[in-house]
Amino acid sequence: MRELQKAMIEQNREKKLLEAAKAYAFEYMDSIKERRAFPSQKALEDLSVFDEKLPDKTGNAMEVVDMLHRYGSPATAASTGGRYFGFVNGSFIPVSMGAKWLADVWDQNSATPTSCPIASKLEEVCERWLAELLGLPTGTAAGFVSGSSIATLCGLAAGRNELLRRNGWDVSEKGLSQSPRIKVVLGKEAHATVFKALSILGFGKCDIIELATDGQGRIIPGEMPEFDSLTLAILQAGNVNSGAFDPIRQICEKAQGTGAWIHVDGAFGLWAAASNERRHLTCGIELADSWSLDGHKTLNAPYDSGVIMCKDRRALASAMQASGSYLLSGENRNGMMHTPEMSRRARSVELWSVLKYLGKAGVADLVDGLCDRALDFAEGLKAEGFEIHNDVVFNQVVTSGKTDDETDRILKGLESGGSVWCGSSNWKGRKVIRISVCSWNTDEDYIRRSVEAFVSARGHQSC
Ligand SMILES: Cc1ncc(COP(=O)(O)O)c(C=O)c1O
């Protein structure tokens, strides 16, 4: 037996590496409340220790894990902690990490039912449960991907090919260069990843009609052009700044019977459909054709957990078509026919564990908790004289100082204080601070302390 093989057999038998990783993980979790929301300058500078040359020889496995904790843990954004409000970064529900750790040790490839029966079974269950939870048509297909960027890419690929098929054009036979022209319609405030997906799919600026939006970033329905069977429309359930929802029902009803394809980017907002209190925001989503959403945002499943849902399974599967006939395995739902990738980790395990644990009531409670805390945050800031630029309908709050300079000062003050982290954005011509309440860990006390951090950052003098 080779020396290296012997060493690794021993490492697996002794479990010291996993014990060390577990101890470091627990240390990280236990200190999350005291951690800076974003790393200190020193922690960022220390990352240069990784700029070493590729080792010539096999080293010490324990030192690898130690190094990761010593220099890696301090250089994380403490997004699981409850005081990190940047992007739309969620935390993880504890049960999902237990499930993930177990699945990580399984190290399965969930490409097909024969490569991993349990992951395929859980994909099948999640597909059914998600359609029920979100009120989508029974039989809606789901593909489990890394995130909404890829989910949107899949939904738009399915839509593009299906529109062309309806117009007598088989993309897999004839390609795209001579195909009938598709008109893409979306709001000016569509997420950057939607434009990215369109570009990857071969749509240029001149194929896209960007519609004017209202003060909250919603498409103005009257601006919508006529639909036809070559219209690919993309709506938004949850604007990344304001959290606003496009008037989905109104637009979908207009599209009914025209043969148009409607995709809804609901990365974080589609989860509103699971809450009695917030479902009205997503009214009409069942009339669309495809939807993208993330488990790793509002649902607080671990990264990477995106889902493409598509009413027409054949349209999704044919856009994701793989050529090897050995992969078309009989009656069973085949995960890789619903996604661009073949090998995929078993991400359905964590998603399933969250849905199984929370149930319908728990998901609703989670969604409402995030939204209620966002309302508290906005109220607290308003009481301290901060301007709130959006109607806080979901988990997003857009605020700012009185001037762009004051906004910059607040952002710098927050960053140097370290107790809270928020991102900046531009909103209706103003520099703003975007707050996304996305962690189940954020409670009323965190909100109070976060508002205090804003007040103190406003008084911060930049040097
Ligand atoms: C509305 C919206 N769409 C798409 C995305 C991209 O999602 P992901 O980062 O999971 O690819 C985001 C990310 O925040 C988003 O807010």
Side-chain angles (χ1 to χ4, degrees), residues 87-89 146-150 152 191-194 236-240 265-268 292 294 296-297 303 305-306:
F87 304 96
V88 196
N89 283 4
S146 56
S148 274
S149 307
I150 300 299
T152 298
H191 196 263
T193 54
V194 173
Q236 191 165 236
N239 176 286
V240 73
D265 171 11
F268 63 93
S292 37
D294 276 323
H296 57 230
K297 292 191 168 73
Y303 287 95
S305 182

Side-chain angles (χ1 to χ4, degrees), residues 87-107:
F87 304 96
V88 196
N89 283 4
S91 180
F92 65 83
I93 300 278
V95 70
S96 66
M97 197 48 71
K100 183 169 192 288
W101 278 12
L102 181 57
D104 277 349
V105 172
W106 294 344
D107 191 27

Side-chain angles (χ1 to χ4, degrees), residues 2 80 137 153 170 218 223 268 271 296 299 334 340 363 374 403 429:
R2 300 166 92 89
T80 58
L153 182 73
D170 178 349
R218 294 173 295 221
E223 296 282 314
F268 63 93
W271 297 103
H296 57 230
L299 190 67
N334 190 338
V363 176
T403 60

Side-chain angles (χ1 to χ4, degrees), residues 110-122:
S110 57
T112 71
T114 43
S115 65
C116 180
I118 177 61
S120 292
K121 171 49 80 181
L122 296 183

Side-chain angles (χ1 to χ4, degrees), residues 282-309:
T282 61
C283 181
I285 50 168
E286 70 285 358
L287 300 174
D289 297 281
S290 55
W291 307 264
S292 37
L293 73 156
D294 276 323
H296 57 230
K297 292 191 168 73
T298 314
L299 190 67
N300 280 229
Y303 287 95
D304 52 0
S305 182
V307 189
I308 170 62
M309 304 204 63

